[in-house]
Amino acid sequence: MSDVNDTKLNSAMFLLTGIPGQEDAHLWISIPFCFIYVFSILGNSTILFIIKIDPSLHEPMYIFLSMLAVTDLGLSISTIPTILGIYLFNSREISLDACFAQMFFIHSFAMIESSILLLMAFDRFVAVSKPLRYASILTLPRIFKMGLACVLRGVTVSFPFPFLLKRFQYCRVNVLSHSYCLHQDVMKLACSDITVNYIYGLFLTVSTVGLDSLPIFLSYVMILKTVLSVASHTECLRALNTCVSHLCAVLLFYTPDIGLALIHRLGKGSSPLLQIDLGYIYLLVPPLMNPIVYSVTSKHLRGRIIRVFLK
């Protein structure tokens, strides 16, 4: 009777994981996480505020940047409760419904961010390759429709995850390998056949990396082709400088994303600490670094930020 009760209790919740072996240092570990979240929220909120109040920044490049900032805010807020709950209050338990809700938002915002990075690559391609038609191609109504398509895509493909997982019984050791819920992590704890979940998750990973990263790569091939045909060395460097911030954002997002996907599906003997570190980099570093990268590399944006806060 006790075993049955234990099984029902275990199946009603999951246990999240911090950094293994560092339980006594959780309070100290929480300090950098708090700083990361504060700077992520302040940085992205500042980007949104500056773009909103400055009419000179109401251009396609900065509108796409504001979309990226909103997505980064959503990604940060989706992970704040559980990560800080573990390190500040040692609160590891999370109910199935709360876990599935967090998982939906994390996967949705991650998919939306991938789509927005693709739109930003298209924006840079048009700006460099067709500068005279830039304003006529990327009009405000068209940008709005593209942004709406990104949101619908992210929500639509992530919507089945909770329902695919809710049909399972969870009768194994219910300890997750991260401080938050991911589909590929939760499905391993089911004591049922997870073939459908595995195929759907793999399909989304491959389609996201393929359908988004491949066009981004091709757009930069075309940009390089256009830039190298420019006679002036100064103009060539100026055109490439406009792409540096976006390239950094792409690398910050896709590198840990691909690494984490490979480890979850292929790295059965990999270090748990590597999984945890890659997971933190994947979700925490892009929202923290994107505002910094764009503020440093964009002279126009940097000047507006300085003018607002120092006047």
Side-chain angles (χ1 to χ4, degrees), residues 87-100:
Y87 293 111
L88 287 176
F89 309 109
N90 197 31
S91 176
R92 297 181 59 197
E93 294 183 353
I94 183 170
S95 68
L96 263 67
D97 290 337
C99 182
F100 295 159

Side-chain angles (χ1 to χ4, degrees), residues 9 103 113 129 131 145-146 148 167 183 249 254 262 266 293:
L9 178 64
M103 177 186 62
E113 178 145 347
S129 302
K145 291 176 183 177
M146 294 164 75
L148 182 60
R167 62 197 177 98
H183 171 257
Y254 281 111
L262 290 174
L266 303 176
V293 168

Side-chain angles (χ1 to χ4, degrees), residues 237-258:
L237 289 177
R238 186 180 301 171
L240 287 176
N241 282 337
T242 64
C243 303
V244 170
S245 51
H246 178 256
L247 274 173
C248 291
V250 168
L251 291 174
L252 285 171
F253 180 79
Y254 281 111
T255 303
D257 183 20
I258 295 172

Side-chain angles (χ1 to χ4, degrees), residues 29-273:
I29 295 173
S30 69
I31 295 174
F33 282 111
C34 289
F35 276 112
I36 288 172
Y37 281 125
V38 168
F39 284 118
S40 296
I41 292 172
L42 285 179
N44 287 290
S45 299
T46 299
I47 293 290
L48 289 171
F49 175 72
I50 296 298
I51 292 175
K52 182 179 185 300
I53 66 170
D54 195 329
S56 68
L57 296 178
H58 295 173
E59 299 176 0
M61 173 183 173
Y62 297 106
I63 295 174
F64 287 128
L65 177 58
S66 66
M67 293 180 185
L68 185 67
V70 170
T71 307
D72 281 338
L73 281 173
L75 206 54
S76 295
I77 293 171
S78 297
T79 57
I80 284 176
T82 53
I83 293 181
L84 290 187
I86 289 174
Y87 293 111
L88 287 176
F89 309 109
N90 197 31
S91 176
R92 297 181 59 197
E93 294 183 353
I94 183 170
S95 68
L96 263 67
D97 290 337
C99 182
F100 295 159
Q102 183 188 46
M103 177 186 62
F104 168 74
F105 284 111
I106 289 176
H107 284 290
S108 294
F109 282 119
M111 181 67 74
I112 293 169
E113 178 145 347
S114 178
S115 302
I116 291 174
L117 290 173
L118 173 59
L119 295 186
M120 296 175 85
F122 177 70
D123 167 74
R124 290 300 84 207
F125 167 72
V126 175
V128 173
S129 302
K130 304 178 187 296
L132 298 179
R133 298 180 56 198
Y134 181 62
S136 62
I137 293 176
L138 291 173
T139 60
L140 283 178
R142 189 167 291 167
I143 291 172
F144 174 79
K145 291 176 183 177
M146 294 164 75
L148 182 60
C150 291
V151 174
L152 291 176
R153 180 197 182 199
V155 171
T156 301
V157 300
S158 302
F159 190 73
F161 281 144
F163 299 99
L164 287 172
L165 293 171
K166 205 170 182 64
R167 62 197 177 98
F168 292 144
Q169 290 292 324
Y170 297 92
C171 52
R172 298 176 183 172
V173 177
N174 55 352
V175 180
L176 298 172
S177 58
H178 295 286
S179 305
Y180 42 83
C181 296
L182 294 176
H183 171 257
Q184 59 267 35
D185 197 17
V186 175
M187 71 177 185
K188 294 178 181 178
L189 302 183
C191 50
S192 309
D193 183 16
I194 60 171
T195 303
V196 174
N197 295 62
Y198 184 87
I199 293 174
Y200 184 68
L202 182 62
F203 167 75
L204 284 187
T205 300
V206 173
S207 62
T208 301
V209 174
L211 293 179
D212 292 349
S213 62
L214 182 59
I216 289 173
F217 173 76
L218 293 176
S219 70
Y220 275 101
V221 171
M222 299 301 293
I223 288 172
L224 279 174
K225 183 179 178 181
T226 303
V227 166
L228 292 176
S229 65
V230 177
S232 170
H233 181 69
T234 304
E235 290 295 325
C236 178
L237 289 177
R238 186 180 301 171
L240 287 176
N241 282 337
T242 64
C243 303
V244 170
S245 51
H246 178 256
L247 274 173
C248 291
V250 168
L251 291 174
L252 285 171
F253 180 79
Y254 281 111
T255 303
D257 183 20
I258 295 172
L260 193 61
L262 290 174
I263 286 177
H264 271 293
R265 288 174 173 82
L266 303 176
K268 291 184 178 179
S270 62
S271 167
L273 188 58

